[in-house]
Amino acid sequence: MENSRREYFDILTKDGEDVDRYLEGYYEEKIFPNFPEKREIISGMLERKKGKQKLRATATHLAVCAFIGDSYDEELIKIKSAIELLNWSTYHENWVIDGKNNGDRDARKRENVLGIIGFYNDAINIAAENRNKGIDYILTLKDIQERVLRGFEAERHLSLENEQILKNKELFKKYYNIRNDDASGYFFDGCVKIARIYSDSDKKLEEKLRLVYRDFGRGLQIVNDLSDFVITTNAPISHEKIRSDQFSDLRTDTVTLPIWLMYNKSSEKDREFLKHLRGKRIIDKPESEKVLEIFYSTGAYKETKSEIIHLYRRIRKNLRGIDIIPHIKGLLGSMISSLSSNRFYHNLENEILKTRNISL
C-alpha cells in the first residue's frame, strides 16, 4: 500500500508537469499570437495552478490505466489538459455565483466571466483537434458542464433564508445530493467516459469505474464543505482552496451538511447568529471563534466526517469488486484514500485537541 501511495503521488506530480508544459505551449503557440489580450484573462489561474497537482487529469490517467495499462502519449496529455481547463472554467463560475475570490467586485467579476468562457472554449478546441474522437470528447465535456450547471442550480435552494430546507431534512438532502452529485460526482464520472473513449475499451468496466469515480467526487465535495472551517494561516489552505474562502459557505448563504447540522442542533440565539453572517465579506475573530464553537459542540464535524467515511467504505468495497490489474487497483485506492485521511481532518482535529474541551 505504501508503494502504491508513493507511486500515486509521483503520477500526480508528473501529470501536473505534463499539463503545465502542454498548456504553456498551447497558449504561446496557438492562442496568444492571435489573441494577445487573452493572457490577461487567464494568467491569474495559470499562475495559480502552475507547479500544482492536477487531480482530474490524474483521475483520467488512472482510468486509462484501468482500461489498457499505463500511457503517457501526447494525445492523452492533451485530453487531460482539456479536462483541467474545463475544471478551471467551473471555478470561475463558482466564484461569480458565490462571490468567492472577490468575485462580487466589478473588475474581478469581469475577469471571472471571461475566464468561464475562455477556459471552456479552449477545452473544447483542444478536444476538437482529434479528428477521430473529437466529437465524442466534446460531447462528454459538454455533458460534464451541463451536470455542473445542474449542481449550481440546486445550490440555489440551499439557503438559510429557505425555511423549508432548514426544517425538512429530506428536502435538504434532495438538493444537497443533486449539488454534490452533479457539480462534483459527475465531473469525475466524466473523466472515466473520456478515458474509455481514448482507450476504445470495455463499456462494462466503464460502468463499474464510473460508479467508483462518481462516489469519489461526491465525497470530495463534502470534504470541501468541511474545509470551510479550517482555521486560516498566512498560507493557502490548499492549492484549490484559498484563505479568503474560510466560512465562505456561511457568508455566501450556502447550506452544506455541516451548516445544516449546526443550525438544527443549535439554540435559537445561535441560529440567528449564523444567519447574521450572510453577506459578510470578513468574519472577525470573535465571530470565527463562535462559529467554530457551534461547529464542534453540535457534533457537525463528527457527523459530517462519519458520512464521508461511510461513503469511502462503500467506494472501497465497489473498487475491490472490479476486475483490473491489482497494481492499478492499488493506485486507485490511493486516490480515494483522500476521503479517509487528509490535511483538513488533521487541522480540524488538532484544533479540537488544542483549544476545545470537546471529544471526537
Side-chain angles (χ1 to χ4, degrees):
M1 181 66 182
E2 186 59 36
N3 289 338
S4 292
R5 187 176 290 110
R6 283 199 298 269
E7 184 177 353
Y8 169 68
F9 283 107
D10 288 343
I11 293 171
L12 267 174
T13 299
K14 179 165 175 51
D15 283 337
E17 292 170 349
D18 286 344
V19 169
D20 286 342
R21 173 184 58 78
Y22 175 78
L23 290 179
E24 181 178 5
Y26 173 77
Y27 281 111
E28 291 295 340
E29 297 167 16
K30 297 185 178 181
I31 302 299
F32 294 154
N34 298 317
F35 188 180
E37 297 86 356
K38 195 166 189 176
R39 192 185 301 272
E40 297 300 315
I41 298 172
I42 66 172
S43 60
M45 183 66 84
L46 286 178
E47 187 60 31
R48 178 176 175 177
K49 293 294 184 180
K50 188 175 182 180
K52 303 298 192 302
Q53 296 169 343
K54 313 288 193 294
L55 178 58
R56 288 152 191 83
T58 295
T60 305
H61 182 176
L62 292 182
V64 168
C65 290
F67 285 122
I68 60 171
D70 207 357
S71 176
Y72 273 106
D73 74 5
E74 198 66 15
E75 179 59 29
L76 180 55
I77 292 171
K78 287 172 66 174
I79 198 60
K80 287 188 292 190
S81 299
I83 282 281
E84 285 297 325
L85 291 180
L86 181 62
N87 185 43
W88 301 354
S89 174
T90 67
Y91 282 167
H92 283 289
E93 289 172 351
N94 191 39
W95 292 340
V96 169
I97 291 168
D98 287 345
K100 295 178 180 177
N101 198 29
N102 296 322
D104 55 343
R105 294 178 177 176
D106 288 343
R108 185 58 62 85
K109 187 181 294 185
R110 184 179 298 107
E111 178 185 325
N112 283 333
V113 170
L114 293 173
I116 294 169
I117 301 167
F119 285 126
Y120 179 76
N121 286 348
D122 291 334
I124 295 298
N125 289 334
I126 290 171
E129 290 183 1
N130 187 304
R131 293 189 177 183
N132 296 322
K133 301 176 181 177
I135 187 63
D136 292 325
Y137 286 145
I138 290 170
L139 290 175
T140 303
L141 293 173
K142 288 171 68 67
D143 183 55
I144 292 171
Q145 174 68 350
E146 283 293 298
R147 302 304 296 246
V148 170
L149 292 178
R150 184 172 186 246
F152 286 160
E153 165 58 20
E155 197 172 74
R156 181 174 64 87
H157 298 273
L158 299 171
S159 166
L160 285 167
E161 290 186 326
N162 188 339
E163 291 294 330
Q164 289 184 310
I165 287 290
L166 294 173
K167 294 177 179 178
N168 186 327
K169 187 173 185 179
E170 292 304 313
L171 186 63
F172 161 72
K173 279 287 193 176
K174 170 187 173 181
Y175 287 110
Y176 187 64
N177 288 340
I178 292 173
R179 176 257 204 175
N180 296 343
D181 292 354
D182 286 77
S184 186
Y186 277 95
F187 202 119
F188 283 88
D189 174 285
C191 292
V192 177
K193 292 171 71 175
I194 289 285
R196 206 274 308 160
I197 293 166
Y198 167 85
S199 305
D200 289 318
S201 196
D202 185 358
K203 287 197 173 184
K204 290 183 179 179
L205 175 56
E206 177 189 5
E207 289 303 314
K208 293 180 180 179
L209 274 177
R210 284 172 65 184
L211 179 60
V212 166
Y213 272 57
R214 202 179 307 147
D215 276 348
F216 175 62
R218 290 168 178 153
L220 282 181
Q221 185 60 61
I222 305 173
V223 170
N224 187 64
D225 294 340
L226 271 185
S227 73
D228 231 34
F229 298 89
V230 172
I231 291 180
T232 58
T233 64
N234 290 328
I237 299 172
S238 76
H239 70 275
E240 292 195 352
K241 199 159 186 78
I242 58 178
R243 250 189 325 131
S244 61
D245 282 350
Q246 189 188 34
F247 304 135
S248 62
D249 291 327
L250 277 170
R251 292 186 285 107
T252 60
D253 193 24
T254 302
V255 180
T256 62
L257 178 58
I259 292 173
W260 192 91
L261 292 168
M262 289 164 67
Y263 185 86
N264 279 278
K265 296 188 177 186
S266 294
S267 66
E268 188 63 35
K269 181 179 179 181
D270 285 346
R271 292 176 182 180
E272 289 305 312
F273 165 74
L274 292 174
K275 287 186 175 183
H276 163 74
L277 300 175
R278 290 176 298 171
K280 298 199 72 169
R281 189 176 296 278
I282 297 174
I283 294 180
D284 63 29
K285 186 176 180 181
E287 290 171 329
S288 295
E289 291 175 350
K290 179 66 174 176
V291 170
L292 291 173
E293 187 64 39
I294 298 171
F295 174 61
Y296 291 118
S297 65
T298 57
Y301 169 68
K302 183 178 180 180
E303 191 167 335
T304 303
K305 182 181 177 183
S306 177
E307 179 148 330
I308 298 168
I309 298 301
H310 176 75
L311 181 58
Y312 165 69
R313 289 170 179 160
R314 185 173 81 191
I315 299 169
R316 191 173 60 180
K317 180 180 178 181
N318 287 335
L319 179 59
R320 283 199 300 265
I322 299 178
D323 185 19
I324 55 177
I325 298 171
H327 171 64
I328 303 304
K329 192 177 293 189
L331 293 174
L332 288 169
S334 295
M335 181 179 77
I336 67 171
S337 69
S338 62
L339 298 182
S340 65
S341 177
N342 58 65
R343 74 182 71 182
F344 301 134
Y345 298 158
H346 176 76
N347 290 341
L348 291 166
E349 289 168 13
N350 272 353
E351 169 64 10
I352 296 174
L353 295 173
K354 281 196 281 188
T355 65
R356 301 177 194 284
N357 186 27
I358 301 169
S359 68
L360 292 173

